[in-house]
C-alpha cells in the first residue's frame, strides 16, 4: 500500500496544513478526514503536488528574479511546514539564508553548519543535478558577497578606515569554510572540474590575506593573523600614498555614533532595485485601474456638459488622466518583462 499526501480544496481555507491528509494511492476513492469530501486518490495527490510546486516556484521567483531573499526564505520555510522532507525547499531556504547576509552580518557559517547537518539527504543519484545547481548558486553567492562587501567598504579602492579593513578580512575568514564545503560536495557529486573552479576561487580569496590595503588617509594596513575568535589582527604598514584627491568626498563609517561627520554605511549588500520594481509593478495595476475609471467618468461628464464653459476643463482632465493610465500601464508591462528574467545563477 503506497501512502502519499493529498490536498483538500474544499475545507480549512484559513488553516492550509489541515487540508493535507494521507491518501492510499491504490484505493478507488478517498475522503478528506475533516469535511468528508470524496476524491479519487490521483486527484487529491495531484492537488497536493500542485500546491507544493506553486509555492516553490513562487519562492524561487522572489529569490532569483526579484532578489527578495527575505520573502523567499519565508515561502521555503512555509513549504517545509507543509512537507518537512521536501529537499528542494531545504536547499532554497539555505540559499535564501545566505542572501540574507548584510554588510555587518555574514550568514556563511550558519549556512555551512546547516548544510553539514542536512547534506546526507542530498547524496542521492536522482537529486544530484539539483544539488549541484544549488552548490554552484551558493558559490556564486560567496563570490558576489565578498566583492559587494569590498565595494561598499571602499572609496575608489581605498578602505574608509581600519575597521572596514578588519570587517572585510573577517567576512573572508567566515566565507572560506563554506567555499571549501562546496568544493568537497561537488567532488562527491563527481563534478571534479566544477570543484577545481571553486578551489581556484578559494585560492583567489585567500590571496587577499597577503595584500596590503590602504585607507582613505593613505595609510597601508596588513593582516598579521587571526585571533582564536576569528577577529583579524591588522597592523599599519610602512608605506603611505597621497590621497588628497579623495578629500572632496564625504567619508563613510561603520560606527553609527559618528553619523554627524560621516555617512553611516547601510546594511544591504545586494541590490534592492528589483524589490522596488516588483512593488511598483503591483501598485501600477491598481493605479492604472483607478486612473482609467477616473478617465471614463470625466469623459462621460464632459459629454454631458459639452456645451458648458467648464467642459474644456473636464476635457483637459480627461486627457491628463488618460495619459496617466497609459503611462502606468506601460510601466507595469515593462517592469513585468524585466522581472521575468532570472538574475541568480
Amino acid at each position: 500500500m503506497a501512502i502519499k499526501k493529498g490536498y483538500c480544496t474544499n475545507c480549512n481555507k484559513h488553516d492550509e496544513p489541515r487540508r493535507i491528509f494521507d491518501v492510499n494511492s491504490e484505493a478507488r476513492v478517498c475522503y478528506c478526514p475533516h469535511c468528508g469530501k470524496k476524491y479519487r486518490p490521483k486527484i487529491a495527490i495531484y492537488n497536493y503536488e500542485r500546491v507544493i510546486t506553486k509555492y516553490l516556484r513562487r519562492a524561487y521567483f522572489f529569490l532569483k528574479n526579484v532578489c527578495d531573499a527575505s520573502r523567499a526564505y519565508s515561502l521555503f520555510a512555509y513549504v517545509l511546514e507543509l512537507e518537512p522532507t521536501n529537499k528542494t525547499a531545504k536547499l532554497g531556504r539555505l540559499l535564501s539564508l545566505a542572501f540574507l547576509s548584510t554588510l555587518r552580518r555574514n550568514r556563511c557559517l550558519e549556512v555551512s553548519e546547516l548544510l553539514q547537518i542536512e547534506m546526507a539527504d542530498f547524496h542521492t543519484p536522482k537529486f544530484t543535478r539539483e544539488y549541484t545547481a544549488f552548490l554552484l548558486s551558493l558559490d556564486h553567492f560567496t563570490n558576489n558577497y565578498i566583492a559587494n562587501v569590498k565595494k561598499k567598504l571602499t572609496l575608489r579602492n581605498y578602505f574608509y578606515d581600519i575597521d572596514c579593513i578588519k570587517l572585510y578580512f573577517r567576512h573572508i575568514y567566515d566565507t572560506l569554510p563554506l567555499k571549501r564545503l562546496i568544493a568537497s560536495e561537488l567532488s562527491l557529486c563527481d563534478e571534479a572540474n566544477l570543484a577545481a573552479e571553486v578551489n581556484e576561487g578559494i585560492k583567489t580569496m585567500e590571496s587577499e590575506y597577503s595584500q596590503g590595503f590602504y585607507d582613505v588617509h593613505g595609510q597601508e594596513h596588513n593582516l598579521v593573523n587571526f585571533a582564536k575568535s576569528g577577529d583579524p589582527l591588522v597592523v599599519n604598514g610602512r608605506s603611505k600614498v597621497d590621497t588628497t584627491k579623495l578629500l572632496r568626498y564625504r567619508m563613510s563609517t561603520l560606527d553609527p555614533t559618528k553619523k554627524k561627520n560621516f555617512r553611516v554605511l547601510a546594511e544591504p549588500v545586494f541590490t534592492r532595485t528589483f524589490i522596488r520594481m516588483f512593488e511598483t509593478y503591483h501598485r501600477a495595476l491598481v493605479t492604472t485601474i483607478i486612473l482609467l475609471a477616473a478617465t471614463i467618468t470625466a469623459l462621460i461628464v464632459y459629454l454631458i456638459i459639452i456645451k458648458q464653459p467648464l467642459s474644456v476643463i473636464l476635457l483637459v482632465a480627461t486627457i491628463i488622466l488618460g495619459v496617466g493610465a497609459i503611462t502606468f500601464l506601460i510601466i507595469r508591462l515593462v517592469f513585468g518583462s524585466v522581472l521575468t528574467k532570472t538574475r541568480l545563477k
Side-chain angles (χ1 to χ4, degrees), residues 134-153:
F134 159 77
L135 293 170
L136 292 177
S137 294
L138 197 56
D139 184 61
H140 176 71
F141 152 77
T142 61
N143 296 330
N144 276 1
Y145 177 69
I146 294 300
N148 289 350
V149 162
K150 186 176 183 180
K151 186 176 180 180
K152 287 209 70 170
L153 295 174

Side-chain angles (χ1 to χ4, degrees), residues 208-220:
E208 293 288 275
Y209 289 159
S210 60
Q211 301 292 324
F213 292 105
Y214 293 87
D215 60 27
V216 291
H217 303 293
Q219 176 63 55
E220 183 186 19

